[in-house]
Amino acid sequence: MALLIWILQNFWSLLVLSFATLVGLRIAYRFRKYGATRAELSHILRRSPFYLVVLIFCFFAAAPFMIMFLHSFKVDGDLYRRPQPFIYRQDPTLEHLESLFTNTAYLDFIRNSVVVGVAVVIITLILALPAAYALARLTGRWGERAGILMFLVYLVPPTLLFIPMFRIVVMLGLKDSPLALIVVYPSFTVPFSMWLLQGFFKAVPPELEEAALVDGYNRVEAFLRVVLPLSLPGIISTIVFTFTLTLHEFIYALVFITNTSRRTLSVGVPTELILGDVYFWQPLLAAALIIAIPVGFAYNLFLDSLVQGFTMGAVKG
Amino acid sequence: MSLVELQGIKKFFDDVRAVDGIELEIENGEFLVILGPSGCGKTTLMRMIAGLEKPTAGQIFIGGEDVTALPPRKRGVSMVFQSYALYPHMNVFNNIAFPLKAQSREKKYDKRAIRDKVENTARLLEIDMLLDRRPRQLSGGQRQRVAIARAMVTQPAVLLLDEPLSNLDAKLRANARDELKEFQRSSNITAVFVTHDQIEAMGLGDRIVVMSHGKIQQIGTPQLIYDDPANEFVATFLGSPSMNILRSDAFSFGFRPENFLPKTLADNPENSRIFHYYVKRVEYLGSDRLLYGYVHGHDNELTLAKVPSNVRVSLDVDCDYEFAVHNSDIKFFDKQSGQRIEEQNLQGVV
Amino acid sequence: MASASDVLNPRRYFMDDRRFVGVMFLAPALLYILLLVGLPFLLAIAFGFSDVTVGNTELNFIGFDNFVAVWENDIFRQVFGNTVMFTLVSQVFILIFANILAIIFTQEFTGKWFARFIFILPWATPVSLAAIGWLWMFDTKYSPIDYLLLQTGFLGPKGILSNSRNLYWLANPVLSQISVIFVQVWRMTPLATVILMAGLSSIPTDILDQAEVDGSRFMRTLLQIKLPLILPIMVIALLFSMITMFGDMTVVYVLTRGGPVDYTRIIGLYSFQIGIEGGNLAQGAAMALFAFPLLLALALLMLRTASRAEVR
């Protein structure tokens, strides 16, 4: 806690200092390796505009997140008394973070999001795994056409579909039920996952399946016992991206669920943490940040395999 | 002074010593082939001559000038890649013109000059009717010519070729080899050619550099390298089937299967060594018979003999024969280092 | 060895038949998707030609009345114009920034992993939550951006931009549009960058080495080799983010709800407000349908580009 207060109070100087230290260490490392020669200095000078551009882009990307972090711990007096948004003049507080978890439906939002996300991932895998394999290996030209059709379906935007879907959901009595989202979300997660998985399946050498067929498995068993285990990294990244897609979804969640405690994160946070036009900024910002950071990590971890899956699907498609 | 000089060139990728101390001089106008198994460092060496890799240690001179720190465009080299690396979005004319345009700032080519140079080079390689085509509309052989034309158009001091024949099918390859050699001879350009194919190397090279594990094993004319290998590696790497190597307590010795003939066929039995040879299996290859068997006293070292089919000597499986090798055809190697050594006494060894 | 019972019972071999297993594997997903998207899609068209509302469940077909009404609605015309304008303007910036970033991130440099982590955050964060951050950044009174401008003399009594202490980002017609475009560019650039990076890294290294040996410098290699080679992928990235943006209403919903007046209202949001909040399902559906021909054209263009790129 004391550490957090200290970090918050010295946020900018710490940011600049740690950056300067890293730059200094890097230069010192190069000097040790190549000697502090004139050539080395000019190399550093020539590279610096490049790093400056990187730094500017990073700053723009990170700006709202830094402000979110900084402002989540401000007491009201410090936040709303101008003019000092960038430093702490009063001690930071955890009170808003506490109230986010105790006085609001934030924990419900998280739970609902997880329930919907997990259920959608399971349905998506059951539907998309065999379908993607069929597209990658089993079906010829008609499969290719089915794949293109799937892709077109993925491009039909929710803004076009939410009105009739709303009607159907109401008719089925699923309004305000997470089931509505669980049923509807696969309409975009399945095409997405199929496209991604298809790429990973194509990367498995066909000889391995053929060997399994010769060894006495049938096609279904060959798929289950040879192809699936070999594509495990691809499947894991598909799971991650399917889950985050459900976290991102906004329109259906907004339209289908109106009961506060049933809402999911993407809708619950921007609508339910605001009372009329009264914004409780600190918990609001904290609520957004708490979700943003882990999802950001997940994306970075699996980004390469995402790109690989998509390019595989495209190159060999 | 030689055109290209490499002094103490090393290249380490982390702990891997890809190229480990190369001294090499390339003469003006020669066709030098760098031959070695895959992973021996030959491509890395060529990429360092081109300037695509910086050596970890050592210096490279081209035309007497130290180019070690210079980028490729300042070196006066050009390169033909194994994949030909034709720019797929440009037609043949623009592919060939690309190096001229890229260097137009230093060399001041105008449009007219570029057109003339491209057309002349294309005519030389007989691709002047293909100038409007895209690379994907060309056959393998045509692509290779375009790649060579693009490499030649700037009149480089050195032409580097990285296995440019390996993408062609076997029939085309022999033809392309002839044309390449002919072209090099007539244009008198210095060419460095990297390959793992010994037939290509023997057929093309004025001199061959045999490399293994990042080091040069031997440099010499094709004949020298074949007849007088510097060590066991060179001896066994060249020739198909490769040289028989037999080991004794003190040293190893070897002889080529085609020099290992029935005693009755040896033209100089007094100067030949006689071996008792047990034939285990015979393969009939048309012009030759390939014999698999063992020399007496070396029952674990499979020894091959290549006997012309047109000599009427019956050679049967499971029989012992007397075979002879001319003394000058027996090479001796150090047992530890594998280096060639002086002639040894074979008495009691076989 | 096939026994007599195997021969008599061909069902045993179904699991080995490529076609049969293919159909079995593909059918569930295909049916699910077609049902889940096709049915509402047809229903959307039916709604567009009817007078259905939230309260009234009967479908009375009234021909093109809805479409005529929508098109004669001045607000809708502005909304349609906004949608097209936002989409096009943001694409220009997205493409510029994505190209720069893709070139940066295909180079090797110290701290690349961390820089990449930071620059992907806007795309990784759920849109509605990221928009909250920007809502605060653009706050009427407490905007940190305004504070910076105030300190640097752009705002305040003698300010260059305005003599007020605030710019009122989301209340000013032009600034609100700029803000919305800015946030869209901010969150979509990483996706376009990632697609372009995939394109750049799929260029064979031989081609780039060849260009280097041919004497080509950085800019020439970029303009004459790299960019032409990734052009098809660039078009795909462009169309993809256009389609995504066309069908999205999250950013404006959180930032402005379409205001001030109608300056940031877009089709998706308007059809939500009319169709769901206003209860007029028929008109809402008709509005959404207006954008469909455009979307379809974009999607087909995208597929054409993709298939052409593959031929090369």
Side-chain angles (χ1 to χ4, degrees):
Chain A
M1 183 58 210
L3 180 70
L4 181 69
I5 291 176
W6 183 74
I7 289 176
L8 286 169
Q9 284 179 334
N10 301 295
F11 185 73
W12 300 104
S13 35
L14 279 176
L15 202 68
V16 172
L17 248 158
S18 53
F19 184 73
T21 318
L22 284 175
V23 172
L25 280 177
R26 177 69 194 161
I27 292 176
Y29 171 76
R30 283 197 69 104
F31 276 172
R32 268 196 73 146
K33 196 169 168 193
Y34 303 109
T37 58
R38 179 171 293 227
E40 188 52 30
L41 271 173
S42 81
H43 171 88
I44 291 168
L45 278 180
R46 258 185 292 120
R47 285 290 274 182
S48 45
F50 175 81
Y51 282 101
L52 201 68
V53 174
V54 175
L55 205 63
I56 290 170
F57 273 112
C58 280
F59 178 78
F60 269 102
F65 299 106
M66 290 195 291
I67 295 293
M68 279 174 176
F69 176 65
L70 209 57
H71 287 188
S72 293
F73 305 97
K74 282 201 168 195
V75 297
D76 286 349
D78 199 11
L79 186 66
Y80 297 128
R81 198 185 58 206
R82 288 197 303 165
Q84 250 325 347
F86 295 113
I87 59 167
Y88 276 83
R89 286 181 305 192
Q90 283 169 270
D91 278 349
T93 172
L94 285 180
E95 126 197 17
H96 300 294
L97 209 59
E98 273 172 45
S99 98
L100 174 67
F101 284 98
T102 52
N103 294 340
T104 71
Y106 191 57
L107 281 175
D108 290 332
F109 300 156
I110 294 182
R111 201 192 52 227
N112 295 337
S113 278
V114 170
V115 167
V116 170
V118 169
V120 171
V121 164
I122 291 169
I123 294 177
T124 303
L125 286 184
I126 291 172
L127 290 174
L129 281 174
Y133 179 68
L135 287 191
R137 284 290 156 75
L138 300 177
T139 57
R141 194 178 293 164
W142 71 274
E144 209 172 283
R145 289 198 185 126
I148 292 172
L149 187 69
M150 282 292 207
F151 185 63
L152 281 175
V153 163
Y154 181 68
L155 294 178
V156 177
T159 44
L160 187 67
L161 301 176
F162 71 87
I163 288 180
M165 278 207 184
F166 174 69
R167 197 50 179 277
I168 297 171
V169 163
V170 171
M171 263 165 43
L172 295 176
L174 291 176
K175 192 161 175 292
D176 281 341
S177 157
L179 256 182
L181 300 182
I182 292 171
V183 170
V184 170
Y185 281 178
S187 69
F188 58 87
T189 57
V190 168
F192 171 84
S193 308
M194 274 175 67
W195 191 249
L196 191 56
L197 286 169
Q198 192 192 336
F200 292 118
F201 288 155
K202 277 182 182 160
V204 177
E207 296 80 21
L208 289 177
E209 290 151 72
E210 281 157 10
L213 290 179
V214 174
D215 287 348
Y217 289 129
N218 64 36
R219 284 202 178 271
V220 182
E221 288 166 333
F223 168 64
L224 293 175
R225 299 189 185 211
V226 178
V227 182
L228 281 192
L230 282 171
S231 329
L232 198 63
I235 294 171
I236 290 173
S237 96
T238 307
I239 291 174
V240 170
F241 282 99
T242 301
F243 189 84
T244 53
L245 275 181
T246 69
L247 269 186
H248 280 227
E249 206 289 321
F250 183 77
I251 298 176
Y252 294 137
L254 178 71
V255 175
F256 297 164
I257 315 273
T258 44
N259 180 325
T260 302
S261 63
R262 298 270 172 83
R263 284 202 143 153
T264 52
L265 277 165
S266 65
V267 172
V269 173
T271 55
E272 302 295 339
L273 296 184
I274 300 166
L275 281 183
D277 53 0
V278 181
Y279 291 80
F280 301 101
W281 279 111
Q282 300 94 326
L284 198 54
L285 296 174
L289 190 65
I290 288 170
I291 302 306
I293 296 303
V295 179
F297 263 105
Y299 263 59
N300 265 281
L301 229 55
F302 290 97
L303 184 66
D304 289 327
S305 79
L306 176 83
V307 170
Q308 185 207 336
F310 272 114
T311 43
M312 266 306 219
V315 171
K316 294 196 174 175
Chain B
M1 178 128 201
S2 322
L3 181 67
V4 181
E5 255 191 82
L6 308 182
Q7 296 183 351
I9 293 295
K10 293 182 180 182
K11 179 71 183 178
F12 302 160
F13 296 105
D14 296 323
D15 290 340
V16 182
R17 296 172 163 238
V19 172
D20 197 4
I22 296 283
E23 308 281 341
L24 182 61
E25 294 186 4
I26 303 169
E27 304 301 332
N28 202 349
E30 82 170 322
F31 199 122
L32 185 87
V33 175
I34 303 178
L35 172 69
S38 56
C40 73
K42 57 190 192 295
T43 296
T44 309
L45 184 65
M46 170 172 279
R47 289 172 63 86
M48 284 192 286
I49 300 175
L52 293 167
E53 308 273 359
K54 283 225 157 63
T56 310
Q59 282 174 300
I60 300 170
F61 297 87
I62 296 179
E65 189 191 352
D66 184 352
V67 298
T68 317
L70 294 184
R73 64 169 186 278
K74 304 264 189 197
R75 294 187 175 203
V77 298
S78 63
M79 189 159 170
V80 175
F81 286 79
Q82 186 174 356
S83 63
Y84 305 143
L86 299 178
Y87 306 121
H89 58 296
M90 297 179 190
N91 64 22
V92 169
F93 179 90
N94 284 326
N95 260 288
I96 301 175
F98 187 80
L100 294 173
K101 289 178 186 164
Q103 293 168 17
S104 61
R105 209 190 313 171
E106 288 99 352
K107 305 236 172 100
K108 305 267 184 290
Y109 298 122
D110 59 20
K111 269 214 156 78
R112 183 78 239 156
I114 289 178
R115 175 151 283 278
D116 287 348
K117 275 176 185 290
V118 171
E119 279 170 356
N120 285 338
T121 315
R123 215 168 296 129
L124 204 62
L125 282 145
E126 293 164 22
I127 48 170
D128 41 339
M129 61 296 185
L130 302 174
L131 288 176
D132 293 328
R133 302 251 189 111
R134 290 285 179 101
R136 75 181 129 90
Q137 300 167 307
L138 301 178
S139 70
Q142 289 169 332
R143 284 178 204 195
Q144 190 216 9
R145 285 155 184 250
V146 174
I148 293 175
R150 179 176 57 184
M152 291 297 298
V153 75
T154 52
Q155 292 165 318
V158 189
L159 175 64
L160 306 169
L161 302 125
D162 185 7
E163 309 211 15
L165 302 180
S166 60
N167 275 356
L168 300 176
D169 58 51
K171 261 189 193 164
L172 268 176
R173 206 178 300 172
N175 198 15
R177 202 164 62 210
D178 281 352
E179 283 176 8
L180 186 61
K181 181 75 189 173
E182 193 49 48
F183 175 74
Q184 186 268 340
R185 201 172 286 152
S186 61
S187 61
N188 203 31
I189 189 172
T190 311
V192 180
F193 184 104
V194 157
T195 184
H196 64 270
D197 181 334
Q198 47 167 310
I199 299 183
E200 251 170 54
M202 304 284 277
L204 283 171
D206 295 329
R207 283 195 302 158
I208 296 178
V209 177
V210 183
M211 271 184 80
S212 165
H213 293 101
K215 292 194 166 95
I216 291 179
Q217 304 296 325
Q218 191 173 5
I219 306 177
T221 61
Q223 189 170 3
L224 178 87
I225 285 187
Y226 192 78
D227 291 343
D228 208 3
N231 57 36
E232 216 180 298
F233 174 82
V234 178
T236 50
F237 186 70
L238 282 126
S240 172
S242 72
M243 185 183 269
N244 296 309
I245 300 285
L246 301 177
R247 284 161 218 288
S248 73
D249 293 337
F251 56 89
S252 309
F253 64 97
F255 46 86
R256 297 201 176 274
E258 63 266 32
N259 296 332
F260 189 49
L261 295 171
K263 189 180 165 192
T264 47
L265 292 178
D267 33 77
N268 201 349
E270 317 75 79
N271 286 329
S272 294
R273 186 83 213 166
I274 308 299
F275 295 89
H276 293 280
Y277 186 53
Y278 164 74
V279 178
K280 204 184 78 179
R281 191 157 69 82
V282 178
E283 267 176 22
Y284 182 70
L285 298 180
S287 60
D288 297 296
R289 276 172 291 181
L290 203 53
L291 276 53
Y292 295 77
Y294 299 99
V295 166
H296 181 72
H298 295 265
D299 296 344
N300 292 320
E301 293 164 310
L302 189 65
T303 304
L304 277 69
K306 194 174 176 185
V307 182
S309 300
N310 56 8
V311 293
R312 310 262 169 233
V313 178
S314 79
L315 293 161
D316 293 318
V317 173
D318 275 342
C319 294
D320 280 301
Y321 295 96
E322 282 194 325
F323 270 56
V325 184
H326 196 273
N327 282 336
S328 66
D329 289 332
I330 303 179
K331 318 289 177 199
F332 297 86
F333 304 100
D334 185 273
K335 230 185 154 193
Q336 259 75 47
S337 68
Q339 294 302 315
R340 271 285 286 282
I341 47 177
E342 291 304 303
E343 201 171 320
Q344 305 284 319
N345 188 359
L346 282 175
Q347 214 61 50
V349 172
V350 284
Chain C
M1 187 67 84
S3 70
S5 67
D6 283 345
V7 177
L8 289 176
N9 185 3
R11 201 181 304 161
R12 288 200 53 143
Y13 295 120
F14 273 0
M15 289 297 161
D16 288 317
D17 184 74
R18 180 182 279 253
R19 223 183 144 76
F20 177 78
V21 176
V23 172
M24 285 265 294
F25 272 18
L26 195 54
L30 212 57
L31 286 179
Y32 193 95
I33 300 302
L34 287 183
L35 203 69
L36 215 63
V37 177
L39 199 64
F41 182 66
L42 293 179
L43 212 54
I45 295 173
F47 279 10
F49 290 100
S50 75
D51 63 352
V52 66
T53 61
V54 169
N56 167 26
T57 47
E58 276 178 54
L59 272 180
N60 294 316
F61 289 98
I62 55 170
F64 284 90
D65 287 7
N66 284 320
F67 296 97
V68 174
V70 165
W71 188 241
E72 283 175 351
N73 178 349
D74 286 340
I75 298 179
F76 180 77
R77 288 201 201 169
Q78 157 131 38
V79 166
F80 194 84
N82 285 345
T83 314
V84 173
M85 192 265 280
F86 286 174
T87 311
L88 290 182
V89 175
S90 4
Q91 290 321 313
V92 173
F93 288 103
I94 290 172
L95 214 56
I96 293 172
F97 292 137
N99 268 304
I100 297 174
L101 281 164
I103 290 158
I104 286 178
F105 281 102
T106 42
Q107 320 254 318
E108 285 306 318
F109 62 92
T110 326
K112 181 174 167 177
W113 191 90
F114 187 71
R116 204 183 79 167
F117 170 72
I118 296 286
F119 112 100
I120 280 178
L121 271 184
W123 172 46
T125 313
V127 197
S128 58
L129 304 184
I132 287 177
W134 284 108
L135 186 63
W136 176 241
M137 297 291 275
F138 293 136
D139 191 80
T140 321
K141 235 179 138 187
Y142 307 106
S143 161
I145 301 173
D146 285 352
Y147 175 78
L148 268 183
L149 293 173
L150 185 68
Q151 294 299 306
T152 46
F154 286 96
L155 286 180
K158 286 181 184 165
I160 300 155
L161 292 174
S162 155
N163 55 12
S164 148
R165 295 178 67 85
N166 287 100
L167 274 176
Y168 306 106
W169 288 95
L170 300 177
N172 172 305
V174 178
L175 284 182
S176 64
Q177 293 187 333
I178 291 177
S179 306
V180 168
I181 290 173
F182 178 85
V183 175
Q184 292 287 25
V185 172
W186 177 80
R187 81 170 176 105
M188 300 280 276
T189 301
L191 174 63
T193 308
V194 167
I195 298 177
L196 291 186
M197 274 165 71
L200 280 176
S201 54
S202 72
I203 298 177
T205 45
D206 271 7
I207 296 262
L208 300 179
D209 283 343
Q210 179 74 58
E212 201 181 338
V213 174
D214 283 348
S216 179
R217 290 152 197 268
F218 180 81
M219 277 318 269
R220 180 182 294 272
T221 307
L222 184 66
L223 294 177
Q224 294 189 2
I225 308 285
K226 286 184 181 171
L227 288 188
L229 282 177
I230 62 164
L231 193 67
I233 292 174
M234 210 141 71
V235 175
I236 289 172
L238 184 77
L239 293 171
F240 194 77
S241 70
M242 275 173 94
I243 290 168
T244 312
M245 233 165 94
F246 227 94
D248 174 76
M249 57 173 248
T250 318
V251 171
V252 280
Y253 181 88
V254 174
L255 281 186
T256 63
R257 301 274 160 108
V261 201
D262 297 311
Y263 282 104
T264 62
R265 215 177 296 281
I266 57 171
I267 293 178
L269 181 67
Y270 198 39
S271 91
F272 167 76
Q273 287 167 330
I274 296 284
I276 304 291
E277 292 188 334
N280 193 341
L281 294 179
Q283 284 234 332
M287 283 174 184
L289 277 175
F290 255 101
F292 185 72
L294 243 150
L295 280 171
L296 190 69
L298 284 178
L300 290 178
L301 202 65
M302 187 167 157
L303 279 176
R304 248 177 78 117
T305 322
S307 61
R308 275 213 189 141
E310 265 174 42
V311 171
R312 268 229 294 236

